[in-house]
Amino acid sequence: MRGTPQAVEEEKRKLPLFKTEEAKGKVAFSLFSSSILVGICLIWAYRLSNLPTAGDRGRWLWIGMFFAELGFGFYWILTQALRWNLVHYYPLKFNLSQSSYKLPGVDIFVCTADPTVEPPTLVINTVLSAMSLNHPTEKLSVYLSDDGGSQLTFYALLEASRFSKLWIPFCKKFNVEPRSPDAYFTHNFDLHEHTAEAQQRLFIK
Protein backbone atom coordinates (compact mmCIF):
# COMPACT_ATOMS: atom_id res chain seq x y z
CA MET A 1 0.00 0.00 0.00
CA ARG A 2 3.01 2.30 0.35
CA GLY A 3 3.23 3.08 -3.36
CA THR A 4 -0.48 3.67 -3.92
CA PRO A 5 -1.80 7.21 -4.48
CA GLN A 6 -3.62 7.05 -1.15
CA ALA A 7 -0.41 6.18 0.70
CA VAL A 8 1.48 8.97 -1.08
CA GLU A 9 -1.23 11.44 -0.08
CA GLU A 10 -0.99 10.30 3.53
CA GLU A 11 2.78 10.86 3.45
CA LYS A 12 2.24 14.39 2.17
CA ARG A 13 -0.17 15.09 5.00
CA LYS A 14 2.59 14.28 7.50
CA LEU A 15 5.12 16.70 6.00
CA PRO A 16 5.92 19.68 8.29
CA LEU A 17 5.29 23.03 6.64
CA PHE A 18 7.88 24.95 8.67
CA LYS A 19 10.73 24.48 11.11
CA THR A 20 11.21 26.22 14.43
CA GLU A 21 14.55 27.50 15.70
CA GLU A 22 15.39 29.30 18.92
CA ALA A 23 16.69 32.83 18.50
CA LYS A 24 20.37 33.48 19.13
CA GLY A 25 21.62 35.59 22.04
CA LYS A 26 19.18 34.08 24.50
CA VAL A 27 21.68 34.05 27.39
CA ALA A 28 22.73 37.68 26.80
CA PHE A 29 19.11 38.81 26.70
CA SER A 30 18.34 36.87 29.90
CA LEU A 31 21.15 38.66 31.71
CA PHE A 32 20.05 42.03 30.35
CA SER A 33 16.37 41.55 31.30
CA SER A 34 17.40 40.24 34.73
CA SER A 35 19.30 43.47 35.38
CA ILE A 36 16.20 45.47 34.41
CA LEU A 37 14.08 43.36 36.77
CA VAL A 38 16.49 44.10 39.62
CA GLY A 39 16.26 47.82 38.82
CA ILE A 40 12.45 47.69 38.85
CA CYS A 41 12.43 45.94 42.23
CA LEU A 42 14.85 48.54 43.64
CA ILE A 43 12.57 51.36 42.47
CA TRP A 44 9.60 49.71 44.17
CA ALA A 45 11.61 49.25 47.37
CA TYR A 46 12.69 52.91 47.28
CA ARG A 47 9.11 54.11 46.83
CA LEU A 48 7.85 51.98 49.73
CA SER A 49 10.70 52.78 52.11
CA ASN A 50 10.40 56.53 51.52
CA LEU A 51 6.62 56.80 51.51
CA PRO A 52 5.64 60.25 52.87
CA THR A 53 3.63 60.24 56.06
CA ALA A 54 0.13 61.67 56.38
CA GLY A 55 0.14 65.45 56.03
CA ASP A 56 3.44 65.63 54.09
CA ARG A 57 3.42 67.70 50.93
CA GLY A 58 3.29 65.64 47.77
CA ARG A 59 2.16 62.43 49.52
CA TRP A 60 -0.54 61.58 46.99
CA LEU A 61 1.71 62.44 44.08
CA TRP A 62 4.30 60.02 45.49
CA ILE A 63 1.64 57.31 45.90
CA GLY A 64 0.38 57.93 42.37
CA MET A 65 3.88 57.59 40.95
CA PHE A 66 4.35 54.37 42.91
CA PHE A 67 1.17 52.81 41.47
CA ALA A 68 2.14 53.92 37.96
CA GLU A 69 5.59 52.34 38.33
CA LEU A 70 3.98 49.24 39.83
CA GLY A 71 1.64 48.87 36.84
CA PHE A 72 4.33 49.42 34.22
CA GLY A 73 6.64 47.04 36.06
CA PHE A 74 4.09 44.23 36.09
CA TYR A 75 3.32 44.88 32.42
CA TRP A 76 7.02 44.59 31.57
CA ILE A 77 7.30 41.32 33.52
CA LEU A 78 4.32 39.83 31.66
CA THR A 79 5.79 40.72 28.25
CA GLN A 80 8.99 38.84 29.03
CA ALA A 81 7.18 35.49 28.66
CA LEU A 82 7.48 35.87 24.87
CA ARG A 83 10.89 37.50 24.75
CA TRP A 84 12.63 34.93 26.95
CA ASN A 85 11.61 32.12 24.60
CA LEU A 86 11.88 33.90 21.27
CA VAL A 87 11.76 31.56 18.27
CA HIS A 88 11.85 32.00 14.50
CA TYR A 89 9.70 30.10 12.02
CA TYR A 90 11.15 29.19 8.61
CA PRO A 91 8.82 27.86 5.90
CA LEU A 92 9.86 24.67 4.12
CA LYS A 93 9.12 25.67 0.54
CA PHE A 94 9.33 22.20 -0.93
CA ASN A 95 6.92 20.77 1.63
CA LEU A 96 4.56 23.69 1.07
CA SER A 97 4.39 22.90 -2.64
CA GLN A 98 3.68 19.24 -1.81
CA SER A 99 1.02 20.00 0.81
CA SER A 100 -1.19 22.60 -0.86
CA TYR A 101 -4.27 21.25 0.91
CA LYS A 102 -2.94 22.67 4.21
CA LEU A 103 -2.59 26.20 2.88
CA PRO A 104 -5.28 28.69 3.94
CA GLY A 105 -7.56 30.61 1.62
CA VAL A 106 -6.22 34.06 0.75
CA ASP A 107 -8.20 37.15 -0.32
CA ILE A 108 -6.19 39.97 -1.93
CA PHE A 109 -7.70 43.43 -2.34
CA VAL A 110 -6.15 45.88 -4.81
CA CYS A 111 -7.45 49.40 -4.28
CA THR A 112 -7.48 52.31 -6.73
CA ALA A 113 -9.35 55.60 -6.99
CA ASP A 114 -8.18 57.83 -9.84
CA PRO A 115 -7.01 56.49 -13.24
CA THR A 116 -5.00 59.67 -13.88
CA VAL A 117 -2.99 59.34 -10.67
CA GLU A 118 -2.91 55.52 -10.70
CA PRO A 119 -2.69 54.46 -14.35
CA PRO A 120 -4.79 51.34 -15.15
CA THR A 121 -1.68 49.61 -16.55
CA LEU A 122 -0.04 49.88 -13.12
CA VAL A 123 -3.17 48.64 -11.34
CA ILE A 124 -3.69 45.74 -13.72
CA ASN A 125 -0.05 44.67 -13.45
CA THR A 126 -0.57 44.49 -9.69
CA VAL A 127 -3.73 42.41 -10.17
CA LEU A 128 -2.03 40.01 -12.59
CA SER A 129 0.95 39.67 -10.27
CA ALA A 130 -1.35 38.73 -7.37
CA MET A 131 -3.34 36.29 -9.51
CA SER A 132 -0.13 34.53 -10.52
CA LEU A 133 1.05 33.81 -6.99
CA ASN A 134 2.30 30.31 -6.31
CA HIS A 135 -0.80 29.37 -4.33
CA PRO A 136 -3.61 26.87 -5.03
CA THR A 137 -5.98 28.51 -7.49
CA GLU A 138 -9.09 27.41 -5.64
CA LYS A 139 -7.78 29.07 -2.45
CA LEU A 140 -6.83 32.43 -3.99
CA SER A 141 -9.23 35.32 -4.69
CA VAL A 142 -8.17 38.71 -6.04
CA TYR A 143 -10.50 41.73 -5.87
CA LEU A 144 -10.12 45.15 -7.47
CA SER A 145 -11.78 48.00 -5.56
CA ASP A 146 -12.15 51.15 -7.68
CA ASP A 147 -13.46 54.04 -5.57
CA GLY A 148 -13.62 56.25 -8.65
CA GLY A 149 -15.74 53.83 -10.69
CA SER A 150 -13.61 54.49 -13.78
CA GLN A 151 -14.80 52.89 -17.01
CA LEU A 152 -11.20 52.88 -18.23
CA THR A 153 -10.09 50.81 -15.24
CA PHE A 154 -13.06 48.47 -15.73
CA TYR A 155 -12.16 47.99 -19.40
CA ALA A 156 -8.53 47.34 -18.46
CA LEU A 157 -9.69 44.68 -15.98
CA LEU A 158 -11.72 42.96 -18.70
CA GLU A 159 -8.68 42.87 -20.98
CA ALA A 160 -6.55 41.59 -18.12
CA SER A 161 -9.01 38.75 -17.45
CA ARG A 162 -8.50 37.58 -21.05
CA PHE A 163 -4.73 37.96 -20.87
CA SER A 164 -4.58 36.10 -17.53
CA LYS A 165 -5.64 32.88 -19.28
CA LEU A 166 -2.24 32.96 -20.98
CA TRP A 167 -0.12 34.72 -18.37
CA ILE A 168 -0.96 32.64 -15.28
CA PRO A 169 -0.26 29.20 -16.85
CA PHE A 170 2.99 30.60 -18.31
CA CYS A 171 4.14 31.86 -14.90
CA LYS A 172 3.38 28.59 -13.14
CA LYS A 173 4.82 26.38 -15.87
CA PHE A 174 8.20 28.14 -16.06
CA ASN A 175 8.24 29.55 -12.50
CA VAL A 176 8.49 33.10 -13.82
CA GLU A 177 9.83 35.85 -11.56
CA PRO A 178 8.78 38.64 -11.23
CA ARG A 179 5.16 37.86 -12.05
CA SER A 180 4.16 41.36 -13.01
CA PRO A 181 4.07 41.40 -16.86
CA ASP A 182 5.48 44.91 -17.07
CA ALA A 183 8.41 44.10 -14.77
CA TYR A 184 9.06 40.74 -16.43
CA PHE A 185 9.16 41.97 -20.03
CA THR A 186 11.51 44.87 -19.23
CA HIS A 187 14.31 42.31 -18.73
CA ASN A 188 16.85 41.86 -21.50
CA PHE A 189 16.34 38.33 -22.78
CA ASP A 190 18.57 36.43 -25.16
CA LEU A 191 16.98 36.99 -28.58
CA HIS A 192 18.73 33.91 -30.00
CA GLU A 193 17.31 31.57 -27.34
CA HIS A 194 15.22 28.75 -28.82
CA THR A 195 13.86 27.08 -25.70
CA ALA A 196 10.19 26.36 -25.10
CA GLU A 197 10.08 29.18 -22.55
CA ALA A 198 11.55 31.66 -25.03
CA GLN A 199 9.01 30.72 -27.71
CA GLN A 200 6.14 30.98 -25.25
CA ARG A 201 7.50 34.28 -23.94
CA LEU A 202 7.61 35.74 -27.44
CA PHE A 203 4.06 34.58 -28.12
CA ILE A 204 2.71 36.13 -24.89
CA LYS A 205 4.63 39.38 -25.36
Side-chain angles (χ1 to χ4, degrees):
M1 292 291 293
R2 187 172 180 79
T4 62
Q6 183 178 0
V8 172
E9 187 66 24
E10 287 297 326
E11 287 295 326
K12 288 182 179 180
R13 290 178 182 273
K14 298 177 183 178
L15 293 175
L17 301 184
F18 60 90
K19 63 178 179 179
T20 305
E21 293 183 0
E22 290 188 358
K24 297 180 179 179
K26 190 173 180 180
V27 175
F29 178 78
S30 298
L31 294 173
F32 172 72
S33 58
S34 297
S35 65
I36 294 179
L37 179 60
V38 171
I40 291 174
C41 293
L42 289 175
I43 291 174
W44 290 345
Y46 173 77
R47 288 290 183 189
L48 286 173
S49 60
N50 293 276
L51 188 66
T53 58
D56 288 347
R57 186 177 181 182
R59 171 181 168 82
W60 292 109
L61 180 61
W62 186 277
I63 294 175
M65 290 293 295
F66 171 67
F67 277 109
E69 290 163 351
L70 193 67
F72 282 117
F74 276 120
Y75 171 77
W76 181 87
I77 292 172
L78 291 175
T79 59
Q80 298 310 299
L82 294 175
R83 297 172 183 172
W84 272 59
N85 297 294
L86 187 62
V87 295
H88 296 297
Y89 299 96
Y90 299 96
L92 302 174
K93 295 182 180 180
F94 178 77
N95 291 354
L96 284 171
S97 64
Q98 299 296 314
S99 307
S100 59
Y101 71 95
K102 289 185 179 180
L103 299 178
V106 177
D107 292 332
I108 300 176
F109 287 83
V110 180
C111 300
T112 185
D114 187 349
T116 57
V117 178
E118 301 167 324
T121 53
L122 177 64
V123 175
I124 296 307
N125 269 280
T126 304
V127 172
L128 288 170
S129 179
M131 292 173 65
S132 307
L133 290 174
N134 189 14
H135 199 80
T137 306
E138 67 278 4
K139 295 185 178 183
L140 178 65
S141 300
V142 182
Y143 303 89
L144 176 61
S145 174
D146 182 11
D147 294 342
S150 168
Q151 293 185 1
L152 181 60
T153 303
F154 179 71
Y155 173 74
L157 184 63
L158 287 178
E159 291 297 317
S161 66
R162 299 188 182 99
F163 177 65
S164 66
K165 297 177 181 179
L166 298 173
W167 178 247
I168 295 175
F170 171 70
C171 289
K172 295 189 174 182
K173 182 178 180 179
F174 297 105
N175 196 25
V176 168
E177 292 292 344
R179 299 199 171 186
S180 166
D182 185 53
Y184 176 73
F185 286 115
T186 53
H187 290 179
N188 293 322
F189 297 104
D190 184 3
L191 299 178
H192 302 288
E193 190 179 4
H194 297 290
T195 62
E197 180 180 355
Q199 295 175 359
Q200 189 74 7
R201 183 194 310 128
L202 183 62
F203 169 74
I204 292 178
K205 185 176 182 180

